[in-house]
Amino acid sequence: MQKSNLLILLGGLCITSFAQTITVRDRSSREPLQDVVIQDKNNIQVKTDIRGKANASTLLKGDSVFVYQLGYATKKIFLADATDISIDLSAKSVNLDEIILSANRKAESKIDVPYNIEVIKQKDIEFSNPANSGDMMQNTGQLFVQKSQAGGGSPSMRGFEANKVLLVVDGVRMNNAIYRGGHLQDIMTLDPNMLDRTEIVFGASSTMYGSDALGGVMHFYTKNAQLSSDDKMFVKANAMVRYASASQEKTGHLDFNLGWKKVASLTNITYSDFGDIMSGSTKLNGYTNTWDRNYYVKRFGDRDSMVKNDNNNLQVGSGYKQIDIMQRLHLKTGEHLTHNLNFQYSTSSFVPRYDRLAGDYSGGKLKFAENGYGPQNRLLLAYTLNYDAKTLLSDNLKVILAYQKIDQDRITRRFQNTSRKTQMEDVSVLSANIDVFKQIKEKHEIRYGLEVTSNDVKSSANFKDIVTNAETPADTRYADGGSKMSTSAIYVSHAWEVNNHFIISDGLRFTSTNLTCNFKDTTFFKFPFTTAKQNNQAMTGNLGFTWKSENDYKVSILTSTGFRSPNVDDMSKVFESAGSTVIVPNPTLKPEYTYNFELNLSKVIQDRYKFDITGYYTNLTNALVVKDFKLNGSDSAIYNGTKSKVQASQNVDKAYIYGLNGGVQFDFNSNISFKSVLNYTYGRYIDSKNDTVVPLDHISPIFGQTSIIYKNKNIDGEFFVRYNGKKSSSDYSPSGEDNAAYSADKVKGFMPGWFTLNIRIGVNITKNLRLNAACENITDNRYRVFASGINAPGRNIIFSLRYKM
């Protein structure tokens, strides 16, 4: 009897000591999910680790447990005495809340902040398969993206674009002293394959981010090196190859993580080869010959010739290549102290300016034989310290020290001219950010910090005869004696949770900006000055009110102010715009200020239907616009041998922008859902000198996207329609930034409305291998996005194969 009792006791001990493991993954991406909560009826909880695994030995067996994580549908499972259980969680498409990082530079609940924020997650990026980060933004249906060439993409937010919206990567502002007011391509230097998530904060965000954040902030968070949660080395790898037919794109990507308990490394590399883009063959009614690529320039021996294009849908001179590298190191030196080193490098081949190569004519001939950007190089070195021990002054302290170097060369050569002009811009940026978070009791959160930046701009230029190799000086794009721009700022923001349903948010920021541009050689232009200086200060703030009920409704009101100090590009640039216009420096510029009001409404019904609408109004004072100007008393000047109209950036008295953004989401069942977004913007500035109201530039036509989405355990699918309304001639800005010369009406400006039908699918072939396929622009429509200088791709078949371990 004693022997049998002993055997029973030993058997029971063996059973209870055996570690039962639960593994939780995302149903569609197959990625392991960390910090998933598994709870039994006695409220005993366990959480999954970095591998998506949890030890369930402490949980009650023979009963149901709940598995949940924010942003996913809660799952109820029966926990038996099994050795391993695998669980797939489905992301909730109808959801009011998720964790965000960007609104106040700190992790918090989206439902608690008064801002309108869109989150693009890694699995969304992988499913949509964007060629670059500009396409990734366009895929949201909430950002308008202009393109002058294939190697670019200039996002517009609430009527603001280029240097009036802010790009941030891993807490470091990308906007530098030469970010221009026209259209930018710098977003292309961010590889979407290296991103963990991207957060888009709509509306003025100057309190937390300072200058330039008038239309909003696009904050890109790259993948971080991950430490192991146990004594075993944590290995994670991700490899992808992709092909796209419209540009004959060939992309290869690899990233791998090696993690131990105290140190981890992440290596990321992507190579892309983009050929010339094939535009659509189905032309718009009434525009049969619009945007044909009938001729291109080719050099035979020592002579340029215009060659007839065999297929005028093929946009010859749009292809380029790019390499992106990232290396991250994560070091944990204490229970509360971590260090992170971040190295990013992006370089390209020559990137042709297709708009200038195909759209500029002079005397019936193409104007340029060469026009584009030399290798575009972006280097980032950043060190981040994170300290999360609670002290008298902080619960979390983050310090970011960064160095950036940007090399941006412009190369132009006129048709049948042997003189090649190269303008070289080298920008070095040093920055330091300190962000502190402190919770006071349970109701109040304080965030405060400082930011210091220093920009050093070197601008040089030369002419080189491509036959004799003889070099001579050329006019520089910016002040040839060098330019320096520095900023220093302090901020404080506060959130008060009055009760469970009402939160008040407020904040203030003070920024000081210094700018000096030195014009050493005035041979090419007789400027009436040799030095231009500015010293500006700005106080900005925000006040927001949020009423909420979890997964039910959210109502928020936000008032905020924003500002943008003139930079080197505004104050010292000389360049040739489209249509024989030359832009010249104007040292009398003042900072722009915005006063903003917005109302956000969100409502969820029965956990299946979600409705969102945002209305906003922005009033600008000292708005910077490009207008006719006089240089040394003359309204024209000879530039590159051509008599050109003189224009310059100037402050106008007042401008205003208002708009609406709306969206609906329906979950018909656990597999099929519907989503639609629509965006409308209207903007004008008041020309008091001429007593007229004039269209602002960069104001997109009405646009949106509507999708039917299918999700199952191993298959995801989406059929979507993307559409733009027309841009009428009366809505084109006279500044030239809307690129009327590249529209359907090259004189007055006009862009027809368009739509595309698209489908994409993702299939999990195995646990580790996934196939993604898409057909974009199914009907092969010929169209061009407003203000763009290149046609969008025609029918585009995309395949990618991704392996994860």
Side-chain angles (χ1 to χ4, degrees), residues 413-635:
R413 185 174 64 82
R414 302 273 174 156
F415 180 59
Q416 294 183 345
N417 190 322
T418 61
S419 183
R420 176 189 292 139
K421 181 180 181 179
T422 302
Q423 293 177 309
M424 294 157 282
E425 273 64 64
D426 297 325
V427 184
S428 298
V429 185
L430 292 170
S431 63
N433 290 79
I434 299 177
D435 299 304
V436 184
F437 168 79
K438 180 66 181 178
Q439 182 158 345
I440 301 175
K441 296 183 178 179
E442 293 183 358
K443 297 292 186 180
H444 296 271
E445 293 180 350
I446 302 291
R447 307 166 191 87
Y448 61 95
L450 61 87
E451 179 181 65
V452 179
T453 70
S454 176
N455 285 246
D456 187 4
V457 180
K458 304 293 185 186
S459 190
S460 59
N462 64 60
F463 288 111
K464 182 176 181 178
D465 191 292
I466 62 173
V467 176
T468 66
N469 290 325
E471 292 189 16
T472 56
D475 54 300
T476 57
R477 182 176 175 87
Y478 302 114
D480 59 337
S483 303
K484 293 184 182 294
M485 182 177 179
S486 61
T487 66
S488 54
I490 56 173
Y491 77 88
V492 60
S493 74
H494 164 248
W496 175 22
E497 187 177 7
V498 180
N499 55 49
N500 290 336
H501 301 290
F502 182 48
I503 297 175
I504 300 175
S505 306
D506 52 82
L508 286 172
R509 182 187 187 100
F510 175 78
T511 304
S512 178
T513 305
N514 291 281
L515 174 60
T516 302
C517 303
N518 297 305
F519 298 86
K520 185 171 61 175
D521 186 354
T522 57
T523 302
F524 299 96
F525 279 98
K526 301 295 183 182
F527 297 128
F529 48 84
T530 57
T531 300
K533 291 185 177 182
Q534 285 201 352
N535 187 347
N536 300 310
Q537 288 79 39
M539 179 72 79
T540 54
N542 68 276
L543 177 63
F545 304 92
T546 303
W547 294 265
K548 60 164 187 170
S549 179
E550 186 175 345
N551 215 31
D552 183 8
Y553 70 85
K554 174 184 174 181
V555 179
S556 64
I557 296 174
L558 177 65
T559 59
S560 60
T561 58
F563 83 102
R564 195 187 78 81
S565 291
N567 63 14
V568 172
D569 185 88
D570 296 308
M571 201 166 71
S572 74
K573 175 175 62 180
V574 179
F575 89 108
E576 182 181 26
S577 183
S580 298
T581 299
V582 61
I583 311 294
V584 300
N586 180 8
T588 65
L589 298 176
K590 301 174 184 178
E592 301 174 277
Y593 291 92
T594 63
Y595 303 88
N596 312 278
F597 173 83
E598 68 177 86
L599 172 65
N600 298 289
L601 305 172
S602 296
K603 175 64 178 175
V604 170
I605 301 173
Q606 298 177 354
D607 285 335
R608 294 177 58 188
Y609 310 100
K610 182 184 177 187
F611 303 86
D612 299 284
I613 187 166
T614 297
Y616 56 89
Y617 181 88
T618 299
N619 195 308
L620 295 88
T621 60
N622 293 333
L624 282 176
V625 298
V626 176
K627 296 173 59 181
D628 292 347
F629 191 71
K630 287 187 177 182
L631 179 65
N632 297 323
S634 177
D635 60 4

Side-chain angles (χ1 to χ4, degrees), residues 104-119:
N104 291 297
R105 304 178 74 100
K106 179 73 176 67
E108 58 191 327
S109 293
K110 181 179 177 181
I111 198 172
D112 291 343
V113 301
Y115 294 94
N116 182 14
I117 299 174
E118 175 73 9
V119 180

Side-chain angles (χ1 to χ4, degrees), residues 524-525 582 631 634 636-646:
F524 299 96
F525 279 98
V582 61
L631 179 65
S634 177
S636 63
I638 302 299
Y639 185 71
N640 286 338
T642 301
K643 186 176 181 180
S644 302
K645 181 171 68 172
V646 173

Side-chain angles (χ1 to χ4, degrees), residues 5-44:
N5 286 339
L6 181 61
L7 289 173
I8 292 172
L9 176 62
L10 289 173
L13 289 172
C14 290
I15 292 172
T16 56
S17 62
F18 192 87
Q20 183 178 11
T21 300
I22 298 176
T23 302
V24 185
R25 294 178 179 271
D26 182 283
R27 187 173 73 162
S28 59
S29 71
R30 309 300 298 154
E31 283 281 314
L33 295 177
Q34 187 178 5
D35 294 328
V36 175
V37 176
I38 305 168
Q39 179 176 304
D40 64 18
K41 69 178 183 180
N42 293 331
N43 293 326
I44 297 174

